[in-house]
Amino acid sequence: MLKLFTDTDCDITPALAAEYGYSLISMPYAIDGKTIYPYEDFDTFDARAFYDQLRGGALPNTSAISREKYLETFEPVFANGDDILYVHFSRAMTATFDAMDQAVAELKERYPDRRFYDIDTKGITIVSYAIVREVGDQILSGKSVEEVLEWARTEVDKFAIYFFADDLKFFKHSGRVSGLAATMGTLLGVRPIIYMNSEGKMISIGSERGRARAINRLLQYVDELGENVSDHRVIVGHTDAPEIAEEVAQRLQEKFGGKLDLETVVVNPTTGGHCGPNGVGICFHATHR
């Protein structure tokens, strides 16, 4: 049999993972000196409480999980005679997948008949969420792992994400965004516009003064790059900014009609700590990223 895995950096909750048969790997973050594993140390993510901590001055840190953790996670599956497909967030953003590769190499020596497949979503949060769900849909429909991998070779790069942050200090702290001016643009009402490129890296591609202009910029990218948008899920993600996310969702529905497969998702804490509160983004199917 084939066992599916994904991780919490893809915004997948335990309930949604169970619908598809995914096992969920928890990606940790540390806040106030305490390391927390989402959906292991808590059952439900309290987004308001978490992002209020950030509003109060907390600056979270993230860390890779160990080779041993991957061994503990994957070995029981191989020992049971099953193969693995892991749909995960971007390799380019972390060293955790080096540890995973080491663990998988060791396990393949122990279980030479077993197969390990992975799909790098080249993203994080809502773009990974969209791809994880599309892969899950295909597996549930009866497609083989080979068919899904072939789909991913071209389609992963057609899921675009564009978003804005409300406060540059979180990105400055994490150091995860290329091309971001090291200035406190919040003081001037400037919001950086960021996307994830085909290498799986977060890149700043400009900024807008004021929230309204930032929203317009996101919608402009949907207009310019969108391809068969209505044939795929459109995801609006936010870091505890439900009113802004609702405005973006309404404008998307006005453009594409009420039949648009639109979801609004709260960004997970491990990723949200890089962006900070009051950020909003859109994931959509595009000609390219």
Side-chain angles (χ1 to χ4, degrees):
M1 290 181 61
L2 181 70
K3 296 296 185 181
L4 303 179
F5 282 83
T6 188
D7 53 65
T8 55
D9 275 1
C10 298
D11 286 339
I12 300 296
T13 64
L16 185 57
E19 290 183 21
Y20 287 107
Y22 281 108
S23 294
L24 193 57
I25 299 174
S26 182
M27 294 295 169
Y29 63 95
I31 193 167
D32 294 334
K34 180 181 179 182
T35 298
I36 301 169
Y37 285 82
Y39 303 116
E40 292 182 7
D41 294 328
F42 56 76
D43 294 326
T44 303
F45 175 39
D46 186 340
R48 177 52 54 88
F50 172 78
Y51 287 110
D52 275 349
Q53 281 185 284
L54 273 56
R55 292 182 179 102
L59 289 172
N61 295 299
T62 58
S63 58
I65 61 178
S66 68
R67 179 182 64 88
E68 289 72 23
K69 179 75 170 178
Y70 284 111
L71 287 171
E72 293 171 6
T73 300
F74 294 146
E75 183 162 24
V77 179
F78 281 177
N80 193 51
D82 298 321
D83 296 331
I84 290 172
L85 171 61
Y86 178 19
V87 190
H88 55 75
F89 77 102
S90 173
R91 277 182 173 267
M93 296 190 68
T94 177
T96 198
F97 296 114
D98 293 335
M100 183 190 78
D101 291 343
Q102 295 169 17
V104 169
E106 183 175 332
L107 289 172
K108 283 183 175 179
E109 291 183 359
R110 297 183 202 169
Y111 306 93
D113 293 333
R114 299 278 53 83
R115 296 292 178 265
F116 180 88
Y117 310 96
D118 72 304
I119 293 175
D120 183 352
T121 63
K122 300 182 184 179
I124 201 164
T125 185
I126 57 173
V127 67
S128 299
Y129 175 93
I131 294 169
V132 168
R133 293 205 65 178
E134 293 239 359
V135 169
D137 288 339
Q138 292 183 54
I139 294 293
L140 288 178
S141 74
K143 288 192 175 181
S144 68
V145 66
E146 290 80 12
E147 289 175 308
V148 173
L149 292 171
E150 184 61 30
W151 171 89
R153 286 187 184 96
T154 56
E155 284 297 304
V156 161
D157 286 335
K158 289 195 169 188
F159 285 83
I161 177 174
Y162 288 80
F163 62 98
F164 66 80
D166 201 59
D167 192 330
L168 287 172
K169 73 179 179 184
F170 296 96
F171 280 128
K172 183 179 179 183
H173 176 70
S174 72
R176 296 297 180 95
V177 180
S178 300
L180 187 65
T183 178
M184 293 303 294
T186 303
L187 299 176
L188 303 173
V190 172
R191 288 167 175 80
I193 308 297
I194 297 161
Y195 85 114
M196 298 210 67
N197 69 7
S198 59
E199 296 178 2
K201 297 178 181 179
M202 287 194 289
I203 307 292
S204 173
I205 53 171
S207 61
E208 292 292 345
R209 189 181 298 271
R211 186 172 291 158
R213 291 174 64 91
I215 292 172
N216 287 340
R217 178 82 169 266
L218 300 188
L219 294 169
Q220 178 184 334
Y221 285 118
V222 180
D223 283 340
E224 293 176 352
L225 297 178
E227 178 186 74
N228 302 325
V229 172
S230 298
D231 294 336
H232 301 268
R233 290 181 182 87
V234 176
I235 316 296
V236 177
H238 67 93
T239 52
D240 194 37
E243 295 85 2
I244 307 170
E246 178 61 24
E247 177 185 347
V248 173
Q250 288 180 352
R251 292 184 62 179
L252 286 166
Q253 287 176 326
E254 289 170 3
K255 176 175 179 57
F256 292 100
K259 293 184 179 180
L260 186 66
D261 190 356
L262 179 67
E263 295 183 51
T264 300
V265 173
V266 179
V267 172
N268 70 83
T270 311
T271 308
H274 296 307
C275 180
N278 305 323
V280 172
I282 305 173
C283 169
F284 58 97
H285 193 262
T287 57
H288 61 80
R289 293 195 172 190

